[in-house]
Amino acid sequence: QSALTQPRSVSGSPGQSVTISCTGTSSDVGGYNYVSWYQQYPGKAPKLMIYDVSRRPSGVPDRFSGSKSGNTASLTISGLQAEDEADYYCCSYAGSYTFDFGTGTKVTVL
Amino acid sequence: QLQLQESGPGLVKPSETLSLSCTVSGGSISSSSHYWGWIRQPPGKGLEWLGSVHYSGSTYYSPSLMSRVTISVDTSKNHFSLKLTSVTATDTAVYYCATHLGDIVGGPFDPWGQGTLVTVSS
């Protein structure tokens, strides 16, 4: 069991799109369609933004979308807004009732 | 709407046992459809899943911490608990409780408690 790999940071101007990658192995990301993404503001608890690779919980803006190809999942934020500046973590089911989180990505709105 | 709230000591001495509880409101911890989990985050670092439990008593642990972690459910108090033995400074973290949205197989974590900081220091 090991952490999934994410870029340390990504940035974009308001209105642009940014994509965060989450790379694992065939034992986690590549093996199951159970990737979720969380948004975390400083000092706050994480909030679920995407689950089952591409499903959005009620209340999450459709600017947030998820996808997966092989052992890499991605979160795309379209039409970037100032309020999207936060840390983002991916998480994947890793079999045998275990879960791996990603290393985390800081999104900066320029 | 489920709400979760962590509680417990904010300071634990090295080699001792960290004990936290998570109180569930807005629903019953005995719901067969819910699994309950613990996740931690060292200061300035990423998230780490510690383990999860079902009200029936079934437990699921991170392989890297399995030897030191125990998670249990108290249905009479509608809460579940975390015990982490033989702690060191590397166990200093914000500890979150959360519920799985759906089944333990793949179920994402939603909602989360607000988190509680536990510092390991003499």
Side-chain angles (χ1 to χ4, degrees), chain A residues 1 34 36 38 40 44-46 48 51 89 91 93 97-99 101 103, chain B residues 41 45-47 49 60 62-63 96 100 104-106 108-110 112-113:
Chain A
Q1 189 181 28
Y34 294 130
S36 51
Y38 301 86
Q40 186 181 36
K44 300 296 186 182
L48 179 67
Y51 68 101
Y89 292 90
C91 179
Y93 181 67
Y97 310 112
T98 64
F99 295 83
F101 277 96
T103 50
Chain B
Q41 184 173 36
K45 297 187 178 181
L47 300 165
W49 174 74
Y60 315 89
S62 165
Y96 295 99
H100 289 266
I104 181 69
V105 176
F109 301 98
D110 181 58
W112 297 56

PDB file of all heavy atoms in Angstrom, chain A residues 1 34 36 38 40 44-46 48 51 89 91 93 97-99 101 103, chain B residues 41 45-47 49 60 62-63 96 100 104-106 108-110 112-113:
ATOM      1  N   GLN A   1       0.843  -1.190   0.000  1.00  0.00           N
ATOM      2  CA  GLN A   1       0.000   0.000   0.000  1.00  0.00           C
ATOM      3  C   GLN A   1       0.877   1.238   0.000  1.00  0.00           C
ATOM      4  O   GLN A   1       1.745   1.396   0.865  1.00  0.00           O
ATOM      5  CB  GLN A   1      -0.903  -0.021   1.244  1.00  0.00           C
ATOM      6  CG  GLN A   1      -1.967   1.020   1.255  1.00  0.00           C
ATOM      7  CD  GLN A   1      -2.818   0.976   2.525  1.00  0.00           C
ATOM      8  OE1 GLN A   1      -2.344   0.550   3.576  1.00  0.00           O
ATOM      9  NE2 GLN A   1      -4.045   1.402   2.425  1.00  0.00           N
ATOM     10  N   TYR A  34     -13.198   2.992  -8.636  1.00  0.00           N
ATOM     11  CA  TYR A  34     -13.550   3.575  -7.341  1.00  0.00           C
ATOM     12  C   TYR A  34     -12.530   4.649  -6.967  1.00  0.00           C
ATOM     13  O   TYR A  34     -11.870   4.567  -5.928  1.00  0.00           O
ATOM     14  CB  TYR A  34     -13.588   2.500  -6.264  1.00  0.00           C
ATOM     15  CG  TYR A  34     -14.679   1.474  -6.441  1.00  0.00           C
ATOM     16  CD1 TYR A  34     -14.387   0.115  -6.391  1.00  0.00           C
ATOM     17  CD2 TYR A  34     -16.006   1.860  -6.640  1.00  0.00           C
ATOM     18  CE1 TYR A  34     -15.389  -0.834  -6.530  1.00  0.00           C
ATOM     19  CE2 TYR A  34     -17.003   0.920  -6.791  1.00  0.00           C
ATOM     20  CZ  TYR A  34     -16.695  -0.427  -6.739  1.00  0.00           C
ATOM     21  OH  TYR A  34     -17.682  -1.360  -6.883  1.00  0.00           O
ATOM     22  N   SER A  36     -12.025   8.600  -5.989  1.00  0.00           N
ATOM     23  CA  SER A  36     -12.750   9.771  -5.495  1.00  0.00           C
ATOM     24  C   SER A  36     -11.772  10.935  -5.348  1.00  0.00           C
ATOM     25  O   SER A  36     -10.558  10.743  -5.271  1.00  0.00           O
ATOM     26  CB  SER A  36     -13.444   9.477  -4.160  1.00  0.00           C
ATOM     27  OG  SER A  36     -12.549   8.920  -3.221  1.00  0.00           O
ATOM     28  N   TYR A  38     -11.211  14.863  -3.345  1.00  0.00           N
ATOM     29  CA  TYR A  38     -11.607  15.693  -2.214  1.00  0.00           C
ATOM     30  C   TYR A  38     -10.965  17.068  -2.317  1.00  0.00           C
ATOM     31  O   TYR A  38      -9.796  17.189  -2.695  1.00  0.00           O
ATOM     32  CB  TYR A  38     -11.185  15.021  -0.902  1.00  0.00           C
ATOM     33  CG  TYR A  38     -11.799  13.656  -0.748  1.00  0.00           C
ATOM     34  CD1 TYR A  38     -11.184  12.542  -1.298  1.00  0.00           C
ATOM     35  CD2 TYR A  38     -13.020  13.482  -0.100  1.00  0.00           C
ATOM     36  CE1 TYR A  38     -11.753  11.284  -1.211  1.00  0.00           C
ATOM     37  CE2 TYR A  38     -13.612  12.231  -0.010  1.00  0.00           C
ATOM     38  CZ  TYR A  38     -12.964  11.137  -0.574  1.00  0.00           C
ATOM     39  OH  TYR A  38     -13.537   9.897  -0.484  1.00  0.00           O
ATOM     40  N   GLN A  40      -9.957  20.432  -0.110  1.00  0.00           N
ATOM     41  CA  GLN A  40      -9.690  20.807   1.280  1.00  0.00           C
ATOM     42  C   GLN A  40      -9.156  22.227   1.372  1.00  0.00           C
ATOM     43  O   GLN A  40      -8.116  22.543   0.799  1.00  0.00           O
ATOM     44  CB  GLN A  40      -8.697  19.844   1.929  1.00  0.00           C
ATOM     45  CG  GLN A  40      -8.490  20.105   3.415  1.00  0.00           C
ATOM     46  CD  GLN A  40      -7.494  19.154   4.053  1.00  0.00           C
ATOM     47  OE1 GLN A  40      -6.505  18.751   3.450  1.00  0.00           O
ATOM     48  NE2 GLN A  40      -7.756  18.777   5.312  1.00  0.00           N
ATOM     49  N   LYS A  44      -9.649  23.076   7.321  1.00  0.00           N
ATOM     50  CA  LYS A  44     -10.977  22.496   7.187  1.00  0.00           C
ATOM     51  C   LYS A  44     -10.906  21.017   6.820  1.00  0.00           C
ATOM     52  O   LYS A  44      -9.881  20.525   6.361  1.00  0.00           O
ATOM     53  CB  LYS A  44     -11.787  23.236   6.111  1.00  0.00           C
ATOM     54  CG  LYS A  44     -11.994  24.712   6.400  1.00  0.00           C
ATOM     55  CD  LYS A  44     -12.823  24.914   7.648  1.00  0.00           C
ATOM     56  CE  LYS A  44     -13.150  26.387   7.867  1.00  0.00           C
ATOM     57  NZ  LYS A  44     -13.934  26.597   9.122  1.00  0.00           N
ATOM     58  N   ALA A  45     -12.020  20.325   7.021  1.00  0.00           N
ATOM     59  CA  ALA A  45     -12.094  18.924   6.638  1.00  0.00           C
ATOM     60  C   ALA A  45     -12.242  18.795   5.121  1.00  0.00           C
ATOM     61  O   ALA A  45     -12.803  19.682   4.467  1.00  0.00           O
ATOM     62  CB  ALA A  45     -13.268  18.257   7.336  1.00  0.00           C
ATOM     63  N   PRO A  46     -11.757  17.716   4.561  1.00  0.00           N
ATOM     64  CA  PRO A  46     -11.946  17.476   3.123  1.00  0.00           C
ATOM     65  C   PRO A  46     -13.417  17.349   2.774  1.00  0.00           C
ATOM     66  O   PRO A  46     -14.234  16.941   3.594  1.00  0.00           O
ATOM     67  CB  PRO A  46     -11.203  16.147   2.901  1.00  0.00           C
ATOM     68  CG  PRO A  46     -10.217  16.065   4.010  1.00  0.00           C
ATOM     69  CD  PRO A  46     -10.903  16.692   5.182  1.00  0.00           C
ATOM     70  N   LEU A  48     -15.987  15.816  -0.333  1.00  0.00           N
ATOM     71  CA  LEU A  48     -16.083  14.943  -1.506  1.00  0.00           C
ATOM     72  C   LEU A  48     -16.559  15.740  -2.724  1.00  0.00           C
ATOM     73  O   LEU A  48     -17.597  16.387  -2.678  1.00  0.00           O
ATOM     74  CB  LEU A  48     -17.047  13.796  -1.218  1.00  0.00           C
ATOM     75  CG  LEU A  48     -17.291  12.801  -2.358  1.00  0.00           C
ATOM     76  CD1 LEU A  48     -16.020  12.006  -2.665  1.00  0.00           C
ATOM     77  CD2 LEU A  48     -18.444  11.859  -2.003  1.00  0.00           C
ATOM     78  N   TYR A  51     -16.790  10.965  -7.113  1.00  0.00           N
ATOM     79  CA  TYR A  51     -16.628   9.590  -6.676  1.00  0.00           C
ATOM     80  C   TYR A  51     -16.911   8.638  -7.835  1.00  0.00           C
ATOM     81  O   TYR A  51     -17.472   9.046  -8.858  1.00  0.00           O
ATOM     82  CB  TYR A  51     -17.509   9.281  -5.455  1.00  0.00           C
ATOM     83  CG  TYR A  51     -19.000   9.287  -5.716  1.00  0.00           C
ATOM     84  CD1 TYR A  51     -19.712   8.107  -5.881  1.00  0.00           C
ATOM     85  CD2 TYR A  51     -19.703  10.487  -5.784  1.00  0.00           C
ATOM     86  CE1 TYR A  51     -21.080   8.105  -6.105  1.00  0.00           C
ATOM     87  CE2 TYR A  51     -21.070  10.506  -6.010  1.00  0.00           C
ATOM     88  CZ  TYR A  51     -21.751   9.314  -6.159  1.00  0.00           C
ATOM     89  OH  TYR A  51     -23.106   9.327  -6.382  1.00  0.00           O
ATOM     90  N   TYR A  89      -7.160  16.119  -3.147  1.00  0.00           N
ATOM     91  CA  TYR A  89      -6.611  14.783  -2.939  1.00  0.00           C
ATOM     92  C   TYR A  89      -7.448  13.752  -3.689  1.00  0.00           C
ATOM     93  O   TYR A  89      -8.675  13.801  -3.647  1.00  0.00           O
ATOM     94  CB  TYR A  89      -6.626  14.420  -1.446  1.00  0.00           C
ATOM     95  CG  TYR A  89      -5.682  15.232  -0.603  1.00  0.00           C
ATOM     96  CD1 TYR A  89      -6.089  16.425  -0.014  1.00  0.00           C
ATOM     97  CD2 TYR A  89      -4.367  14.815  -0.395  1.00  0.00           C
ATOM     98  CE1 TYR A  89      -5.216  17.182   0.759  1.00  0.00           C
ATOM     99  CE2 TYR A  89      -3.489  15.555   0.389  1.00  0.00           C
ATOM    100  CZ  TYR A  89      -3.925  16.728   0.955  1.00  0.00           C
ATOM    101  OH  TYR A  89      -3.059  17.472   1.720  1.00  0.00           O
ATOM    102  N   CYS A  91      -8.287   9.576  -4.085  1.00  0.00           N
ATOM    103  CA  CYS A  91      -8.330   8.386  -3.237  1.00  0.00           C
ATOM    104  C   CYS A  91      -8.818   7.229  -4.095  1.00  0.00           C
ATOM    105  O   CYS A  91      -9.732   7.400  -4.901  1.00  0.00           O
ATOM    106  CB  CYS A  91      -9.274   8.596  -2.054  1.00  0.00           C
ATOM    107  SG  CYS A  91      -9.423   7.171  -0.948  1.00  0.00           S
ATOM    108  N   TYR A  93      -9.843   2.935  -4.093  1.00  0.00           N
ATOM    109  CA  TYR A  93      -9.980   1.627  -3.468  1.00  0.00           C
ATOM    110  C   TYR A  93      -8.806   0.780  -3.964  1.00  0.00           C
ATOM    111  O   TYR A  93      -8.429   0.856  -5.133  1.00  0.00           O
ATOM    112  CB  TYR A  93     -11.304   0.992  -3.869  1.00  0.00           C
ATOM    113  CG  TYR A  93     -11.558  -0.361  -3.244  1.00  0.00           C
ATOM    114  CD1 TYR A  93     -11.751  -0.478  -1.877  1.00  0.00           C
ATOM    115  CD2 TYR A  93     -11.602  -1.511  -4.022  1.00  0.00           C
ATOM    116  CE1 TYR A  93     -11.999  -1.713  -1.297  1.00  0.00           C
ATOM    117  CE2 TYR A  93     -11.848  -2.746  -3.460  1.00  0.00           C
ATOM    118  CZ  TYR A  93     -12.034  -2.846  -2.089  1.00  0.00           C
ATOM    119  OH  TYR A  93     -12.263  -4.067  -1.514  1.00  0.00           O
ATOM    120  N   TYR A  97     -10.568  -4.381   0.917  1.00  0.00           N
ATOM    121  CA  TYR A  97     -11.198  -3.386   1.797  1.00  0.00           C
ATOM    122  C   TYR A  97     -10.192  -2.347   2.299  1.00  0.00           C
ATOM    123  O   TYR A  97     -10.217  -1.964   3.489  1.00  0.00           O
ATOM    124  CB  TYR A  97     -11.882  -4.075   2.979  1.00  0.00           C
ATOM    125  CG  TYR A  97     -12.782  -5.209   2.558  1.00  0.00           C
ATOM    126  CD1 TYR A  97     -12.461  -6.520   2.879  1.00  0.00           C
ATOM    127  CD2 TYR A  97     -13.934  -4.962   1.820  1.00  0.00           C
ATOM    128  CE1 TYR A  97     -13.283  -7.565   2.484  1.00  0.00           C
ATOM    129  CE2 TYR A  97     -14.765  -6.007   1.420  1.00  0.00           C
ATOM    130  CZ  TYR A  97     -14.437  -7.302   1.759  1.00  0.00           C
ATOM    131  OH  TYR A  97     -15.239  -8.332   1.365  1.00  0.00           O
ATOM    132  N   THR A  98      -9.292  -1.905   1.448  1.00  0.00           N
ATOM    133  CA  THR A  98      -8.325  -0.874   1.830  1.00  0.00           C
ATOM    134  C   THR A  98      -8.375   0.289   0.837  1.00  0.00           C
ATOM    135  O   THR A  98      -8.890   0.144  -0.274  1.00  0.00           O
ATOM    136  CB  THR A  98      -6.882  -1.418   1.871  1.00  0.00           C
ATOM    137  OG1 THR A  98      -6.486  -1.829   0.551  1.00  0.00           O
ATOM    138  CG2 THR A  98      -6.763  -2.598   2.828  1.00  0.00           C
ATOM    139  N   PHE A  99      -7.860   1.434   1.267  1.00  0.00           N
ATOM    140  CA  PHE A  99      -7.919   2.652   0.465  1.00  0.00           C
ATOM    141  C   PHE A  99      -6.556   3.350   0.481  1.00  0.00           C
ATOM    142  O   PHE A  99      -5.883   3.400   1.505  1.00  0.00           O
ATOM    143  CB  PHE A  99      -8.972   3.609   1.025  1.00  0.00           C
ATOM    144  CG  PHE A  99     -10.376   3.065   0.938  1.00  0.00           C
ATOM    145  CD1 PHE A  99     -10.862   2.206   1.901  1.00  0.00           C
ATOM    146  CD2 PHE A  99     -11.203   3.413  -0.129  1.00  0.00           C
ATOM    147  CE1 PHE A  99     -12.147   1.685   1.809  1.00  0.00           C
ATOM    148  CE2 PHE A  99     -12.486   2.898  -0.223  1.00  0.00           C
ATOM    149  CZ  PHE A  99     -12.962   2.028   0.746  1.00  0.00           C
ATOM    150  N   PHE A 101      -4.706   7.101  -0.494  1.00  0.00           N
ATOM    151  CA  PHE A 101      -4.896   8.507  -0.844  1.00  0.00           C
ATOM    152  C   PHE A 101      -3.718   8.989  -1.692  1.00  0.00           C
ATOM    153  O   PHE A 101      -2.621   8.408  -1.656  1.00  0.00           O
ATOM    154  CB  PHE A 101      -4.980   9.372   0.415  1.00  0.00           C
ATOM    155  CG  PHE A 101      -6.341   9.417   1.038  1.00  0.00           C
ATOM    156  CD1 PHE A 101      -6.664   8.559   2.084  1.00  0.00           C
ATOM    157  CD2 PHE A 101      -7.310  10.309   0.594  1.00  0.00           C
ATOM    158  CE1 PHE A 101      -7.919   8.588   2.667  1.00  0.00           C
ATOM    159  CE2 PHE A 101      -8.570  10.340   1.165  1.00  0.00           C
ATOM    160  CZ  PHE A 101      -8.879   9.478   2.205  1.00  0.00           C
ATOM    161  N   THR A 103      -0.992  12.117  -2.925  1.00  0.00           N
ATOM    162  CA  THR A 103      -0.064  12.983  -2.197  1.00  0.00           C
ATOM    163  C   THR A 103      -0.576  14.417  -2.061  1.00  0.00           C
ATOM    164  O   THR A 103      -0.060  15.178  -1.254  1.00  0.00           O
ATOM    165  CB  THR A 103       1.293  13.000  -2.895  1.00  0.00           C
ATOM    166  OG1 THR A 103       1.097  13.273  -4.302  1.00  0.00           O
ATOM    167  CG2 THR A 103       1.991  11.647  -2.745  1.00  0.00           C
TER     168      THR A 103
ATOM    169  N   GLN B  41      -4.142  13.209   9.112  1.00  0.00           N
ATOM    170  CA  GLN B  41      -3.357  14.108   8.270  1.00  0.00           C
ATOM    171  C   GLN B  41      -2.302  14.797   9.128  1.00  0.00           C
ATOM    172  O   GLN B  41      -2.614  15.718   9.883  1.00  0.00           O
ATOM    173  CB  GLN B  41      -4.270  15.150   7.617  1.00  0.00           C
ATOM    174  CG  GLN B  41      -3.561  16.071   6.647  1.00  0.00           C
ATOM    175  CD  GLN B  41      -4.546  16.969   5.901  1.00  0.00           C
ATOM    176  OE1 GLN B  41      -5.555  17.409   6.448  1.00  0.00           O
ATOM    177  NE2 GLN B  41      -4.261  17.242   4.634  1.00  0.00           N
ATOM    178  N   LYS B  45       0.937  17.770   5.670  1.00  0.00           N
ATOM    179  CA  LYS B  45       1.099  16.595   4.821  1.00  0.00           C
ATOM    180  C   LYS B  45      -0.247  16.073   4.307  1.00  0.00           C
ATOM    181  O   LYS B  45      -1.278  16.705   4.509  1.00  0.00           O
ATOM    182  CB  LYS B  45       1.849  15.494   5.586  1.00  0.00           C
ATOM    183  CG  LYS B  45       3.261  15.897   5.968  1.00  0.00           C
ATOM    184  CD  LYS B  45       4.031  14.743   6.560  1.00  0.00           C
ATOM    185  CE  LYS B  45       5.468  15.161   6.878  1.00  0.00           C
ATOM    186  NZ  LYS B  45       6.251  14.027   7.445  1.00  0.00           N
ATOM    187  N   GLY B  46      -0.208  14.923   3.639  1.00  0.00           N
ATOM    188  CA  GLY B  46      -1.396  14.374   3.007  1.00  0.00           C
ATOM    189  C   GLY B  46      -2.231  13.501   3.920  1.00  0.00           C
ATOM    190  O   GLY B  46      -1.938  13.311   5.098  1.00  0.00           O
ATOM    191  N   LEU B  47      -3.295  12.975   3.344  1.00  0.00           N
ATOM    192  CA  LEU B  47      -4.257  12.151   4.069  1.00  0.00           C
ATOM    193  C   LEU B  47      -3.831  10.685   4.077  1.00  0.00           C
ATOM    194  O   LEU B  47      -3.236  10.191   3.104  1.00  0.00           O
ATOM    195  CB  LEU B  47      -5.631  12.278   3.409  1.00  0.00           C
ATOM    196  CG  LEU B  47      -6.229  13.682   3.361  1.00  0.00           C
ATOM    197  CD1 LEU B  47      -7.397  13.737   2.385  1.00  0.00           C
ATOM    198  CD2 LEU B  47      -6.690  14.117   4.750  1.00  0.00           C
ATOM    199  N   TRP B  49      -5.574   6.857   5.197  1.00  0.00           N
ATOM    200  CA  TRP B  49      -6.668   6.043   5.730  1.00  0.00           C
ATOM    201  C   TRP B  49      -6.110   5.088   6.778  1.00  0.00           C
ATOM    202  O   TRP B  49      -5.112   4.393   6.532  1.00  0.00           O
ATOM    203  CB  TRP B  49      -7.340   5.281   4.602  1.00  0.00           C
ATOM    204  CG  TRP B  49      -8.371   4.303   5.039  1.00  0.00           C
ATOM    205  CD1 TRP B  49      -9.624   4.574   5.501  1.00  0.00           C
ATOM    206  CD2 TRP B  49      -8.250   2.877   5.061  1.00  0.00           C
ATOM    207  NE1 TRP B  49     -10.289   3.412   5.807  1.00  0.00           N
ATOM    208  CE2 TRP B  49      -9.472   2.358   5.548  1.00  0.00           C
ATOM    209  CE3 TRP B  49      -7.228   1.982   4.727  1.00  0.00           C
ATOM    210  CZ2 TRP B  49      -9.704   0.996   5.703  1.00  0.00           C
ATOM    211  CZ3 TRP B  49      -7.456   0.619   4.861  1.00  0.00           C
ATOM    212  CH2 TRP B  49      -8.685   0.143   5.356  1.00  0.00           C
ATOM    213  N   TYR B  60     -11.706  -3.273   9.199  1.00  0.00           N
ATOM    214  CA  TYR B  60     -10.833  -3.252   8.031  1.00  0.00           C
ATOM    215  C   TYR B  60      -9.719  -2.251   8.326  1.00  0.00           C
ATOM    216  O   TYR B  60      -9.998  -1.098   8.634  1.00  0.00           O
ATOM    217  CB  TYR B  60     -11.619  -2.813   6.790  1.00  0.00           C
ATOM    218  CG  TYR B  60     -12.961  -3.500   6.681  1.00  0.00           C
ATOM    219  CD1 TYR B  60     -14.088  -2.947   7.269  1.00  0.00           C
ATOM    220  CD2 TYR B  60     -13.091  -4.703   6.015  1.00  0.00           C
ATOM    221  CE1 TYR B  60     -15.312  -3.586   7.200  1.00  0.00           C
ATOM    222  CE2 TYR B  60     -14.317  -5.346   5.933  1.00  0.00           C
ATOM    223  CZ  TYR B  60     -15.423  -4.789   6.534  1.00  0.00           C
ATOM    224  OH  TYR B  60     -16.636  -5.425   6.465  1.00  0.00           O
ATOM    225  N   SER B  62      -5.655  -0.483   7.663  1.00  0.00           N
ATOM    226  CA  SER B  62      -4.517  -0.237   6.789  1.00  0.00           C
ATOM    227  C   SER B  62      -3.424  -1.259   7.119  1.00  0.00           C
ATOM    228  O   SER B  62      -3.059  -1.415   8.277  1.00  0.00           O
ATOM    229  CB  SER B  62      -3.983   1.177   7.018  1.00  0.00           C
ATOM    230  OG  SER B  62      -2.705   1.321   6.448  1.00  0.00           O
ATOM    231  N   PRO B  63      -2.889  -1.930   6.107  1.00  0.00           N
ATOM    232  CA  PRO B  63      -1.832  -2.919   6.376  1.00  0.00           C
ATOM    233  C   PRO B  63      -0.628  -2.331   7.110  1.00  0.00           C
ATOM    234  O   PRO B  63      -0.007  -3.014   7.923  1.00  0.00           O
ATOM    235  CB  PRO B  63      -1.451  -3.406   4.972  1.00  0.00           C
ATOM    236  CG  PRO B  63      -2.672  -3.188   4.150  1.00  0.00           C
ATOM    237  CD  PRO B  63      -3.285  -1.925   4.687  1.00  0.00           C
ATOM    238  N   TYR B  96      -9.444  12.556  11.511  1.00  0.00           N
ATOM    239  CA  TYR B  96     -10.807  12.742  11.048  1.00  0.00           C
ATOM    240  C   TYR B  96     -11.568  11.417  11.123  1.00  0.00           C
ATOM    241  O   TYR B  96     -11.022  10.360  10.808  1.00  0.00           O
ATOM    242  CB  TYR B  96     -10.834  13.182   9.587  1.00  0.00           C
ATOM    243  CG  TYR B  96     -10.237  14.532   9.283  1.00  0.00           C
ATOM    244  CD1 TYR B  96      -8.934  14.648   8.777  1.00  0.00           C
ATOM    245  CD2 TYR B  96     -10.978  15.699   9.452  1.00  0.00           C
ATOM    246  CE1 TYR B  96      -8.393  15.892   8.472  1.00  0.00           C
ATOM    247  CE2 TYR B  96     -10.440  16.940   9.140  1.00  0.00           C
ATOM    248  CZ  TYR B  96      -9.143  17.025   8.656  1.00  0.00           C
ATOM    249  OH  TYR B  96      -8.613  18.254   8.346  1.00  0.00           O
ATOM    250  N   HIS B 100     -18.492   6.011   5.016  1.00  0.00           N
ATOM    251  CA  HIS B 100     -18.413   5.637   3.612  1.00  0.00           C
ATOM    252  C   HIS B 100     -19.769   5.889   2.951  1.00  0.00           C
ATOM    253  O   HIS B 100     -20.808   5.513   3.491  1.00  0.00           O
ATOM    254  CB  HIS B 100     -18.077   4.154   3.477  1.00  0.00           C
ATOM    255  CG  HIS B 100     -16.675   3.809   3.869  1.00  0.00           C
ATOM    256  ND1 HIS B 100     -15.647   3.744   2.946  1.00  0.00           N
ATOM    257  CD2 HIS B 100     -16.126   3.520   5.067  1.00  0.00           C
ATOM    258  CE1 HIS B 100     -14.527   3.404   3.568  1.00  0.00           C
ATOM    259  NE2 HIS B 100     -14.783   3.262   4.866  1.00  0.00           N
ATOM    260  N   ILE B 104     -18.482  -0.650   1.754  1.00  0.00           N
ATOM    261  CA  ILE B 104     -17.063  -0.564   2.087  1.00  0.00           C
ATOM    262  C   ILE B 104     -16.208  -0.796   0.848  1.00  0.00           C
ATOM    263  O   ILE B 104     -15.089  -0.281   0.741  1.00  0.00           O
ATOM    264  CB  ILE B 104     -16.712  -1.591   3.182  1.00  0.00           C
ATOM    265  CG1 ILE B 104     -15.233  -1.498   3.569  1.00  0.00           C
ATOM    266  CG2 ILE B 104     -17.030  -2.998   2.716  1.00  0.00           C
ATOM    267  CD1 ILE B 104     -14.843  -0.250   4.298  1.00  0.00           C
ATOM    268  N   VAL B 105     -16.750  -1.551  -0.109  1.00  0.00           N
ATOM    269  CA  VAL B 105     -15.994  -1.790  -1.335  1.00  0.00           C
ATOM    270  C   VAL B 105     -16.098  -0.556  -2.209  1.00  0.00           C
ATOM    271  O   VAL B 105     -17.101  -0.328  -2.887  1.00  0.00           O
ATOM    272  CB  VAL B 105     -16.520  -3.026  -2.093  1.00  0.00           C
ATOM    273  CG1 VAL B 105     -15.761  -3.187  -3.416  1.00  0.00           C
ATOM    274  CG2 VAL B 105     -16.370  -4.270  -1.241  1.00  0.00           C
ATOM    275  N   GLY B 106     -15.061   0.258  -2.132  1.00  0.00           N
ATOM    276  CA  GLY B 106     -15.020   1.439  -2.983  1.00  0.00           C
ATOM    277  C   GLY B 106     -15.730   2.656  -2.471  1.00  0.00           C
ATOM    278  O   GLY B 106     -15.575   3.737  -3.036  1.00  0.00           O
ATOM    279  N   PRO B 108     -16.684   6.012  -1.167  1.00  0.00           N
ATOM    280  CA  PRO B 108     -15.918   7.201  -0.815  1.00  0.00           C
ATOM    281  C   PRO B 108     -16.321   7.712   0.562  1.00  0.00           C
ATOM    282  O   PRO B 108     -17.316   7.265   1.129  1.00  0.00           O
ATOM    283  CB  PRO B 108     -16.303   8.192  -1.905  1.00  0.00           C
ATOM    284  CG  PRO B 108     -17.698   7.805  -2.263  1.00  0.00           C
ATOM    285  CD  PRO B 108     -17.740   6.307  -2.174  1.00  0.00           C
ATOM    286  N   PHE B 109     -15.547   8.644   1.069  1.00  0.00           N
ATOM    287  CA  PHE B 109     -15.772   9.155   2.413  1.00  0.00           C
ATOM    288  C   PHE B 109     -16.617  10.433   2.368  1.00  0.00           C
ATOM    289  O   PHE B 109     -16.182  11.451   1.850  1.00  0.00           O
ATOM    290  CB  PHE B 109     -14.430   9.425   3.100  1.00  0.00           C
ATOM    291  CG  PHE B 109     -13.566   8.201   3.196  1.00  0.00           C
ATOM    292  CD1 PHE B 109     -12.563   7.967   2.268  1.00  0.00           C
ATOM    293  CD2 PHE B 109     -13.777   7.270   4.193  1.00  0.00           C
ATOM    294  CE1 PHE B 109     -11.770   6.829   2.342  1.00  0.00           C
ATOM    295  CE2 PHE B 109     -12.991   6.127   4.277  1.00  0.00           C
ATOM    296  CZ  PHE B 109     -11.988   5.906   3.346  1.00  0.00           C
ATOM    297  N   ASP B 110     -17.828  10.357   2.936  1.00  0.00           N
ATOM    298  CA  ASP B 110     -18.722  11.503   2.941  1.00  0.00           C
ATOM    299  C   ASP B 110     -19.930  11.224   3.811  1.00  0.00           C
ATOM    300  O   ASP B 110     -20.636  10.235   3.559  1.00  0.00           O
ATOM    301  CB  ASP B 110     -19.201  11.794   1.505  1.00  0.00           C
ATOM    302  CG  ASP B 110     -20.109  12.998   1.430  1.00  0.00           C
ATOM    303  OD1 ASP B 110     -19.668  14.098   1.851  1.00  0.00           O
ATOM    304  OD2 ASP B 110     -21.246  12.862   0.955  1.00  0.00           O
ATOM    305  N   TRP B 112     -17.510  14.006   6.526  1.00  0.00           N
ATOM    306  CA  TRP B 112     -16.377  13.946   7.437  1.00  0.00           C
ATOM    307  C   TRP B 112     -16.698  14.742   8.700  1.00  0.00           C
ATOM    308  O   TRP B 112     -17.499  15.666   8.665  1.00  0.00           O
ATOM    309  CB  TRP B 112     -15.132  14.583   6.807  1.00  0.00           C
ATOM    310  CG  TRP B 112     -14.609  13.904   5.581  1.00  0.00           C
ATOM    311  CD1 TRP B 112     -15.287  13.643   4.421  1.00  0.00           C
ATOM    312  CD2 TRP B 112     -13.279  13.445   5.363  1.00  0.00           C
ATOM    313  NE1 TRP B 112     -14.465  13.034   3.499  1.00  0.00           N
ATOM    314  CE2 TRP B 112     -13.222  12.902   4.042  1.00  0.00           C
ATOM    315  CE3 TRP B 112     -12.112  13.435   6.131  1.00  0.00           C
ATOM    316  CZ2 TRP B 112     -12.050  12.349   3.515  1.00  0.00           C
ATOM    317  CZ3 TRP B 112     -10.952  12.896   5.596  1.00  0.00           C
ATOM    318  CH2 TRP B 112     -10.933  12.356   4.295  1.00  0.00           C
ATOM    319  N   GLY B 113     -16.034  14.374   9.800  1.00  0.00           N
ATOM    320  CA  GLY B 113     -16.064  15.221  10.977  1.00  0.00           C
ATOM    321  C   GLY B 113     -15.135  16.410  10.747  1.00  0.00           C
ATOM    322  O   GLY B 113     -14.434  16.473   9.743  1.00  0.00           O
TER     323      GLY B 113
END
